[in-house]
Amino acid sequence: MNETFGQALRRFRGTRSVRDVAQLANCGKSYVSDLENNKRPPTIEVATALDHALGAQGRLVMLAQVRPGSDPLEQADALQRGLKEDFAAGPMSDASLDEVEYTVARYGRATRHRSETELLTELLEDFADLRLLLAGRQSGPVRKRLTIVAAQMSGLMALTLLKLGDDRARAWWRTGRAAAAAADDRATLSWMYAQEAYQHYYCGDIEGAVELACRAQYLAGGLPCVGPALAAPLEARALARLSKPEAAADALSRAEVALKRLPVADQIDSAFGYSESQLRFHSGNALTHLGSTSRARTEQDRALELYPASDHMDRTLIHLDQAMCLAIDGDVAGAALHATNTVVGLPLSHRSPLIIYRAQDVAVKVPEAREVSEVRVLREVLALRPGE
């Protein structure tokens, strides 16, 4: 039926008077008359009140979202929004909840191979849907599972913004921690702290990174979960940068144990998992900062064997660690050339601020060699904005 809002309102009003309908919807009689005669557009709030009062089952709300004269595609968008809100308003089935949890798990895997810019738009859309579900009528157990998903999605938002070099990631860590705490889920809260430790690490707050990594391990309380497996190697990397080799070695030992205790289902290439490829990368990075270049190369080579070619972020960071080892060993030209080739060979969409920041570490490592042509080329490449 191709009818206007006013026509639909008149049909649903039936034999009731305009005055009675106005009282039911808590609005003026003249306003209802104007709506029926299409003399003014309805607001979503009034349309919702009228829809509930007249039992229109969403028809009036949907029509209120469609501007007069809108094309079929705009009408389709309005219908889709209305249906989404209708489905979100009621209790969720097990199948619907499984779909929500599958969606966040899919995003976790996508962080390993998709660019941050692509992910951000989709994350925002699905997070908006999740918020509608949280506002609906849900049982206690369902609300807890949705709250855990909200914590995980918040963590993904923070990770995405971190890789884009956007400091708003910090607010999303807070939101994620609050959600995990509200759900009373130690494993998720431990994961949140472990991931947030990376924010501090890459922003130069090394002591803060150590503190949060230790917090993540403490919160796990012996649970064989991702948080400790992710946090212990980050602690080792931070301690290595603080020139504490014995403490870093102890943290690496705990990282090995945490990975062995981790269920096989969690040893995956995902933001929600941790795998041997990541541990070899992180161990190699810690050893690089300690100046143990020979042992670092062994870990780096193994990591590159394990990582799929589609994992642009970590493979690039490993190559930059290799360049750093060359610089430490005195091969200035080789270090600069390897770093340059690594950045230039990366797809434009994956040249994030985080990658440029790590490449700058290599350039800083060889400041006395400005006359070397390879170093000049590296500095020219890094002078470009990320993505250029």
Side-chain angles (χ1 to χ4, degrees), residues 207-337:
E207 289 83 0
V210 172
E211 181 179 350
L212 292 190
C214 291
R215 175 72 172 167
Q217 294 168 80
Y218 167 78
L219 285 170
L223 286 174
C225 56
V226 174
L230 189 65
L234 188 279
E235 180 190 356
R237 296 168 69 187
L239 290 169
R241 292 186 64 174
L242 293 173
S243 300
K244 297 181 179 181
E246 292 183 1
D250 176 67
L252 284 178
S253 296
R254 282 186 274 112
E256 296 281 356
V257 172
L259 179 61
K260 290 177 181 177
R261 295 185 67 237
L262 196 62
V264 174
D266 290 329
Q267 296 184 33
I268 55 175
D269 293 327
S270 165
F272 301 119
Y274 196 76
S275 62
E276 185 187 353
S277 58
Q278 291 171 279
L279 180 55
R280 297 304 145 222
F281 158 38
H282 295 153
S283 297
N285 180 259
L287 292 166
T288 297
H289 287 299
L290 289 173
S292 301
T293 56
S294 179
R295 293 173 58 198
R297 287 192 183 92
T298 299
E299 296 292 275
Q300 292 158 1
D301 290 344
R302 179 57 179 157
L304 290 173
E305 288 177 6
L306 294 171
Y307 270 108
S310 59
D311 196 319
H312 297 288
M313 174 67 75
D314 284 3
R315 290 184 68 89
T316 298
L317 293 174
I318 293 166
H319 280 294
L320 291 174
D321 280 345
Q322 290 179 325
M324 185 70 77
C325 284
L326 289 171
I328 292 171
D329 288 342
D331 185 358
V332 173
L337 179 61

Side-chain angles (χ1 to χ4, degrees), residues 343-344 346-349 351 356 380-388:
V343 174
V344 172
L346 194 64
L348 290 175
S349 60
R351 294 185 198 174
I356 302 302
E380 290 171 2
V381 168
L382 296 180
L384 299 175
R385 292 191 303 272
E388 288 186 337

Side-chain angles (χ1 to χ4, degrees), residues 112 116 158-166 198-204 237 241 281-282 312-314 316-317 320 343 346 349-362 382 385-387:
R112 310 306 303 173
E116 295 72 41
L159 282 172
T160 301
L161 292 168
L162 168 61
K163 293 175 182 178
L164 289 171
D166 194 313
Y198 282 78
Q199 171 99 38
H200 290 261
Y201 180 80
Y202 285 116
C203 290
R237 296 168 69 187
R241 292 186 64 174
F281 158 38
H282 295 153
H312 297 288
M313 174 67 75
D314 284 3
T316 298
L317 293 174
L320 291 174
V343 174
L346 194 64
S349 60
H350 288 275
R351 294 185 198 174
S352 66
L354 177 57
I355 294 294
I356 302 302
Y357 165 78
R358 289 292 289 115
Q360 288 170 339
D361 276 355
V362 180
L382 296 180
R385 292 191 303 272

